[in-house]
Amino acid sequence: MRLHRLDIAAFGPFGGTESVDFDDLSAAGLFLLHGPTGAGKTSVLDAVCYALYGSVPGARQSGQGMNLRSDHAAPADRTEVRLELTVAGRRLEVTRQPPWERPKKRGAGTTVDKAQSWLREYDAAAGAWKDLSRSHQEIGEEITQLLGMSREQFCQVVLLPQGDFARFLRADAEARGRLLGRLFDTHHFAAVEKRLADRRRETEARVREGDAALLADAHRMQQAAGDAPDLPELSPGDPGLADAVLAWAAVARSTARERLTVAHCARAAAESARAAADRVLDDVREVARLQRRFAEARERAARLAERAGAHREDRARMERARKAEAVAPALELRDAAEDEHRRARAEEEDARARLSGEYADAGAAGLAAAARRASEELGALESARRAERRLAVLRTEQADLDSEERADEGVLQDAEGWLAEWETTRAELRARIESAQEAAARAEQLAVRREPAERRLAAARQRDQLGRDTDAARAEVLRLTERAGQARTHWLDLKEQRLSGIAAELAAGLVEGRPCAVCGGTEHPAPARKDAGHVDREAEEAALAAFQRADEERAGAEQRLGLAQRALAAASAEAGDAPTERLAATAAELEREHTQARRLALDLHPAQEALLHAEQERDRRAAARQEAAVRAASRDTRRDTLEQERTALEAELAEARGDAESVAELAGRLEVWAAKLDGAAEAARAAEDTAQRLKDADARLADAAFRAGFDTPREAAAAVLDDAAHRDLQHRLDAWQSEEAAVRAVLAEVETAAAAQQPPADLGAAERDAEAAARRLQHAVSAWDAAERSRVQLDGLSARATASVRRLAPLREEYDRVARMAGLAAGTSADNERRMRLEAYVLAARLEQVAAAATVRLQRMSSGRYTLVHSDDRAGRGRSGLGLHVVDAWTGRERDTATLSGGETFFASLALALGLADVVTDEAGGVRLDTLFIDEGFGSLDDQTLDEVLDVLDALRERDRSVGIVSHVADLRRRVHAQLEVVKERTGSVVRQRGR
């Protein structure tokens, strides 16, 4: 992976748009990223990580979304990061924009735009960029797949944080395991440990559940066994639980079978005694029944003798009723004819009562002729009735014409009144439109004047603030200049004192027999002595460093003063010499006038709409007035035609209705009279017909009574029985015959007569004996049922216990196997001598690779003195596998990495970081990393070690690899020529780039 270009806009401390050309920086192989604290050096690396993964590293992950936006950015500028890189042979461009709270385009307030992402690829053949995706998820998956690293691995491998690795060197095994687990993604090994532990708990729970079920079955068998031996004390998980339960179950089943045999013999004896008692009871019951039957038959025979006379009368009455049945049809016909004739006479009398006296004695023929004459008169009035209905329609139409005329008069009056005011209304609306147009033009003019006034006001306020800042900066420069001068004077004084006593300093290193470094003599008769005020080299260098720091602070203050003065000049040029208060008053007045003009201009559209609606209303009312006039002319013609037709119809109807109020009334009277005549004629004909049928029915009834043997029809009618009486009489006769036959049959039975000759049967004693035998049998059956249920339950529970034991056998084997594997993976098993967990075992292998890769560079940085080695020894009572030691070649001893000094810790952690980068890169699929960043820590190195570290870093440039150093060390600015400086300013940080 090689970075080419990074563009940052409104991101972090960068208020504007900044660009970093990594191709130019990487040309030297080694480049420096420096700047004052808080300027934004780390934000450049954050931008690279955000472009690739959509989030920033480590603890800064909380700064997502709108929190990534620069506080120095203008409201209309959107935060954006664009990164151009080459990975896996493909040149890509990733652009990301976090969520952005921007001002609304219309109205006041703000709105939030969603986050956006773009991924493009450069097509060398076409010489142009082509879009790949705009999906956050797709872009993240594509980048992760190409790099082969997660965000955590990328931040650890490409952005090497030395502080993390210094802590890694001093950390315990658990802390190292957490870091390595994140980098090498060994969570699946931890998942295996967890899965084995879960499997062990699951199988153990299933074994205990099976044992509990087996014990529950054993307790059920103990309850069912009754007097069987007591069950041994057992609990789930006992090794011999299954054998003990099965042995006890066999004893309980044997006891239950013996108890069942005894109960079966007792039940057989009780059943025999019950059968004998039941046979005796049945015989006694039969004798008692026959004796009761004979006594009841004798009583029934006596009752029949008492009712013999009434029976003979019922038979005679039934005989006369059978004879009268032949006369019954004639009787029914005569009664029906009489009822019909009576109804017909009543209807005739009622119809004649509704007629006038002239038809009171007329026959049916005369009444029918009068009805025909009334119908003919009614038909002659049909033409007059149609004329009368047409006259009613004409009157309705004339009334509608009058209503329409009154409505049109209202429309004409309304239209005339509104149109009379039209010119005044139009003039008022046009005046409103012209006033609003003038206000809009004035608002535009004021808007043009308002913006320069607001800019001058802002510049004046900035001018005032910058003036105060410039004064403060000038005072700070004077103070720091004086301080730097004092520091320089102090340093020069110490230097002069050291030079004065340099002879004593050189004499301190003289050894007898060795040549002097100044004169070369081997004898030193009178070496100089250090006095009490002697200044050594360390004191001089400390004074020099203090002077340099003071001088740097002075230079920084002068730089800030220059920036403030330039900004003050720009603000003064923009604001001029006018006081801020006057500019503020001018801007406020322009704002007030602009607001008032805009408020008046808002009436333009409503006034135009009102004029348009008024013109439409004028056209509508003029059209309505003209339409009303046309309808008035048409109504006059229609009214004359209707009046002529109405006069002719009224003359025709006056002649036709005579003395009646209307033709309809006259027709109604004729219809009623004709209906009365028709009804009377029909009633007269019906009365004559029913009288003849009644006479014929009387003759047939007299003939039928004579043939049936009755003297008169009245006697025959008296002998006839209705259905209810006939059924009751027949029922009494049938009951007498049935009772007589039943009594004779019972008295003729031989067994019944023989039983009647025997003594009375003792039924109570026989029943008591049978009940006693039944109770004895019930007790025996209950005992047998209990013994049988106990045997069946014991057999079923024993079979289920045997099946449970067989089913649990493979589960117990599985539990033993899983428990051994889980203990081995978790480091708790006796087989795992070093108590090393599976994940720790894998991480130990990775750590061993990292230590080997780091040693190659560590030996070079330490001039062959130090070597990193992996140790799997146990630390105290903890587990082993992740120990890390350093071997000191000068002493030949191995010691803990926590004993290294500050400088040694730095280059050891740097070597460890580089080694880890190599191993993680190989783990990620061998993705080539052409751009690396190393963050801080160089200030703890002396000059020689710094040279050796830079040599190691310079070696990383092999095969066109570039390394970026993030550091405050001033000496690196002289050693590394390609630099990216982040400058902190009041309006936001900016970057300055210098190639090789």
Side-chain angles (χ1 to χ4, degrees):
M1 180 201 71
R2 174 177 291 278
L3 305 182
H4 298 293
R5 183 179 179 84
L6 175 67
D7 295 322
I8 305 173
F11 182 88
F14 303 103
T17 301
E18 304 295 332
S19 297
V20 179
D21 188 350
F22 285 110
D23 286 339
D24 183 47
L25 292 173
S26 301
L30 195 65
F31 62 91
L32 178 66
L33 175 59
H34 68 95
T37 301
K41 300 186 298 298
T42 306
S43 296
V44 175
L45 307 184
D46 288 348
V48 173
C49 185
Y50 181 72
L52 293 174
Y53 294 95
S55 60
V56 296
R60 299 185 294 280
Q61 291 184 41
S62 60
Q64 299 298 302
M66 290 179 285
N67 292 331
L68 294 176
R69 180 171 176 79
S70 174
D71 296 333
H72 302 284
D77 294 342
R78 174 142 197 182
T79 302
E80 180 180 275
V81 176
R82 180 182 294 109
L83 178 64
E84 185 178 338
L85 72 158
T86 296
V87 59
R90 300 170 59 184
R91 185 153 184 154
L92 303 175
E93 181 188 78
V94 187
T95 303
R96 292 189 187 271
Q97 295 178 349
W100 178 41
E101 185 177 3
R102 61 167 176 81
K104 291 183 178 179
K105 296 180 179 179
R106 296 181 179 178
T110 60
T111 185
V112 177
D113 283 351
K114 295 181 179 179
Q116 299 186 41
S117 300
W118 293 270
L119 177 62
R120 300 196 305 170
E121 181 175 4
Y122 184 74
D123 188 351
W129 292 92
K130 62 178 181 180
D131 293 332
L132 295 182
S133 177
R134 296 193 63 176
S135 168
H136 302 297
Q137 183 177 0
E138 290 180 358
I139 295 173
E141 292 175 355
E142 181 73 13
I143 294 297
T144 302
Q145 183 177 3
L146 288 174
L147 293 177
M149 291 181 285
S150 65
R151 180 180 59 81
E152 290 78 7
Q153 290 175 320
F154 177 84
C155 295
Q156 202 72 39
V157 173
V158 179
L159 313 178
L160 302 178
Q162 295 309 298
D164 288 351
F165 283 96
R167 287 190 295 272
F168 181 82
L169 285 172
R170 298 185 175 91
D172 56 13
E174 294 295 332
R176 287 177 184 154
R178 286 193 294 271
L179 175 60
L180 293 174
R182 290 198 307 270
L183 295 178
F184 291 105
D185 193 18
T186 58
H187 67 278
H188 49 283
F189 296 101
V192 169
E193 296 178 24
K194 184 177 182 300
R195 177 56 179 163
L196 287 174
D198 293 342
R199 284 285 305 278
R200 178 178 60 187
R201 287 191 293 271
E202 291 173 4
T203 53
E204 182 181 8
R206 290 166 60 190
V207 169
R208 287 187 170 275
E209 182 180 354
D211 286 349
L214 184 60
L215 277 177
D217 288 341
H219 289 301
R220 294 189 188 98
M221 286 190 286
Q222 186 176 21
Q223 293 175 357
D227 55 353
D230 292 338
L231 185 69
E233 291 293 335
L234 300 170
S235 60
D238 289 347
L241 183 143
D243 295 337
V245 170
L246 294 181
W248 183 89
V251 175
R253 289 201 309 275
S254 176
T255 303
R257 285 186 173 85
E258 293 176 359
R259 189 167 59 251
L260 179 62
T261 302
V262 174
H264 182 72
C265 294
R267 175 181 176 179
E271 287 177 347
S272 298
R274 168 68 186 275
D278 288 343
R279 286 195 296 271
V280 172
L281 178 62
D282 291 342
D283 292 343
V284 173
R285 284 176 175 170
E286 181 62 19
V287 171
R289 185 185 67 80
L290 292 175
Q291 290 176 349
R292 288 194 304 272
R293 181 178 175 81
F294 185 81
E296 291 173 355
R298 295 290 297 270
E299 292 176 359
R300 290 162 64 189
R303 287 195 297 270
L304 287 175
E306 293 176 357
R307 299 200 306 271
H311 177 61
R312 287 191 294 272
E313 292 178 359
D314 288 341
R315 282 193 298 179
R317 185 180 175 190
M318 179 62 72
E319 184 65 25
R320 288 178 60 82
R322 289 194 181 95
K323 292 181 180 180
E325 288 178 356
V327 185
L331 284 171
E332 293 175 356
L333 289 175
R334 197 270 174 191
D335 292 341
E338 185 178 11
D339 292 340
E340 187 179 3
H341 178 62
R342 189 182 301 110
R343 287 194 300 271
R345 289 289 299 167
E347 290 177 357
E348 180 186 11
E349 290 174 359
D350 183 61
R352 288 182 181 276
R354 290 195 294 272
L355 298 176
S356 58
E358 59 179 307
Y359 296 104
D361 299 328
L367 292 173
R372 285 194 296 273
R373 289 194 297 274
S375 298
E376 291 174 357
E377 293 178 5
L378 182 61
L381 290 177
E382 183 60 29
S383 176
R385 295 173 72 180
R386 288 196 299 270
E388 191 173 49
R389 288 194 294 272
R390 174 59 182 164
L391 180 61
V393 172
L394 290 176
R395 288 171 178 168
T396 301
E397 291 183 359
Q398 287 179 333
D400 292 342
L401 291 175
D402 294 340
S403 299
E404 184 179 347
E405 184 177 12
R406 289 192 296 273
D408 284 346
E409 288 177 356
V411 170
L412 286 172
Q413 292 176 359
D414 188 21
E416 291 293 344
W418 194 92
L419 291 173
E421 300 292 332
W422 162 242
E423 292 299 333
T424 303
T425 302
R426 182 172 61 180
E428 292 176 353
L429 292 175
R430 289 192 177 279
R432 280 180 60 190
I433 292 173
E434 292 174 357
S435 176
Q437 288 174 343
E438 292 175 357
R442 176 167 176 74
E444 292 179 359
Q445 296 173 357
L446 291 171
V448 174
R449 294 171 55 195
R450 184 185 61 173
E451 292 182 2
E454 291 178 350
R455 286 198 300 270
R456 286 191 65 191
L457 175 60
R461 289 171 177 169
Q462 187 179 16
R463 175 196 63 192
D464 297 343
Q465 181 61 40
L466 288 174
R468 292 189 292 270
D469 293 345
T470 301
D471 295 340
R474 188 177 291 109
E476 180 70 8
V477 167
L478 292 175
R479 185 182 68 80
L480 292 177
T481 300
E482 182 179 357
R483 179 181 171 186
Q486 293 174 355
R488 184 174 184 278
T489 300
H490 179 62
W491 168 59
L492 292 176
D493 290 343
L494 291 181
K495 184 176 181 180
E496 185 177 355
Q497 292 177 20
R498 179 170 177 255
L499 291 176
S500 298
I502 194 65
E505 185 175 341
L506 292 174
L510 294 177
V511 179
E512 288 295 334
R514 293 184 182 179
C516 176
V518 178
C519 65
T522 57
E523 294 181 1
H524 318 294
R529 303 294 181 182
K530 294 183 181 179
D531 55 15
H534 177 72
V535 177
D536 56 11
R537 179 181 178 180
E538 289 76 8
E540 180 192 355
E541 290 180 350
L544 175 61
F547 163 62
Q548 290 175 343
R549 287 194 300 272
D551 192 56
E552 288 180 358
E553 292 178 357
R554 178 195 58 76
E558 289 180 349
Q559 184 179 10
R560 291 192 293 273
L561 175 60
L563 292 175
Q565 288 174 340
R566 289 193 294 273
L568 176 61
S572 300
E574 177 72 20
D577 298 330
T580 304
E581 293 77 7
R582 188 173 66 189
L583 293 176
T586 303
E589 179 64 21
L590 288 173
E591 180 66 25
R592 185 188 61 76
E593 293 179 359
H594 178 262
T595 302
Q596 183 178 5
R598 285 195 61 189
R599 187 173 60 253
L600 295 175
L602 291 177
D603 190 44
L604 176 60
H605 181 69
Q608 292 174 340
E609 290 291 327
L611 178 59
L612 178 61
H613 293 163
E615 291 175 346
Q616 293 174 350
E617 181 67 14
R618 178 203 60 187
D619 296 340
R620 187 185 66 78
R621 290 182 181 270
R625 180 178 62 181
Q626 186 173 0
E627 291 172 359
V630 171
R631 287 195 299 272
S634 177
R635 274 196 305 273
D636 293 340
T637 302
R638 178 62 177 166
R639 187 180 284 110
D640 294 342
T641 302
L642 293 177
E643 184 65 26
Q644 293 175 2
E645 186 178 0
R646 185 172 69 86
T647 301
L649 290 175
E650 287 177 349
E652 179 182 352
L653 290 174
E655 181 179 356
R657 65 174 173 262
D659 59 346
E661 291 292 332
S662 64
V663 175
E665 180 184 351
L666 179 61
R669 292 199 301 230
L670 287 175
E671 288 176 354
V672 172
W673 178 247
K676 289 180 179 180
L677 290 174
D678 283 338
E682 183 64 25
R685 285 194 297 270
E688 292 175 356
D689 292 342
T690 56
Q692 183 60 37
R693 286 196 293 274
L694 177 61
K695 184 177 180 181
D696 294 341
D698 286 338
R700 285 194 296 273
L701 176 61
D703 182 61
F706 178 75
R707 286 197 300 272
F710 294 100
D711 295 335
T712 62
R714 186 179 299 277
E715 292 180 0
V720 173
L721 296 175
D722 57 16
D723 292 341
H726 186 275
R727 285 194 301 272
D728 182 62
L729 182 58
Q730 185 64 45
H731 177 69
R732 291 200 302 272
L733 293 174
D734 293 341
W736 172 273
Q737 291 178 356
S738 299
E739 182 68 10
E740 185 181 20
V743 170
R744 283 199 300 270
V746 172
L747 294 177
E749 293 176 353
V750 178
E751 294 179 355
T752 304
Q757 300 302 321
Q758 296 180 9
D762 191 357
L763 183 59
E767 288 178 345
R768 287 192 294 274
D769 293 342
E771 289 176 357
R775 285 194 297 273
R776 289 192 295 272
L777 177 60
Q778 183 178 4
H779 293 158
V781 170
S782 297
W784 180 86
D785 286 342
E788 178 64 17
R789 284 196 303 273
S790 177
R791 183 194 65 78
V792 171
Q793 290 177 359
L794 285 172
D795 289 345
L797 292 172
S798 180
R800 189 163 72 177
T802 303
S804 298
V805 170
R806 292 173 181 170
R807 187 174 59 255
L808 283 174
L811 186 59
R812 291 181 188 276
E813 294 177 359
E814 180 185 359
Y815 167 69
D816 294 339
R817 184 173 61 254
V818 171
R820 287 196 302 272
M821 294 179 63
L824 184 63
T828 59
S829 172
D831 297 334
N832 192 336
E833 297 178 357
R834 296 185 178 277
R835 298 182 62 192
M836 187 182 296
R837 293 173 44 230
L838 176 61
E839 184 182 14
Y841 176 77
V842 176
L843 292 176
R846 293 292 188 269
L847 182 58
E848 189 172 2
Q849 296 174 359
V850 171
T855 295
V856 176
R857 296 184 175 88
L858 179 59
Q859 288 181 340
R860 186 172 178 181
M861 292 181 190
S862 63
S863 299
R865 179 178 179 182
Y866 293 117
T867 301
L868 282 175
V869 294
H870 161 253
S871 173
D872 56 5
D873 293 336
R874 292 174 57 181
R877 300 178 59 186
R879 298 178 183 176
S880 60
L882 297 177
L884 193 63
H885 293 170
V886 61
V887 178
D888 190 344
W890 290 5
T891 63
R893 300 183 62 181
E894 180 179 322
R895 55 193 174 99
D896 193 271
T897 53
T899 62
L900 295 173
S901 65
E904 292 170 341
T905 298
F906 166 71
F907 61 70
S909 62
L910 175 58
L912 187 65
L914 296 174
L916 182 63
D918 292 341
V919 175
V920 173
T921 300
D922 295 337
E923 179 76 12
V927 177
R928 178 178 170 82
L929 301 177
D930 294 323
T931 305
L932 297 175
F933 293 92
I934 300 174
D935 190 4
E936 286 301 346
F938 292 88
S940 61
L941 305 180
D942 56 30
D943 293 343
Q944 180 180 354
T945 306
L946 181 60
D947 290 337
E948 292 172 348
V949 170
L950 290 178
D951 289 341
V952 173
L953 296 180
D954 191 59
L956 296 176
R957 296 185 298 170
E958 298 173 358
R959 292 179 297 173
D960 200 24
R961 176 181 288 182
S962 61
V963 179
I965 300 175
V966 184
S967 178
H968 293 278
V969 178
D971 192 32
L972 287 175
R973 301 176 197 172
R974 295 188 294 271
R975 297 173 183 249
V976 181
H977 300 288
Q979 298 180 11
L980 179 67
E981 182 183 6
V982 182
V983 180
K984 182 167 57 176
E985 296 182 354
R986 182 179 295 275
T987 58
S989 297
V990 296
V991 297
R992 296 174 182 172
Q993 184 170 332
R994 185 178 70 183
R996 60 180 176 179

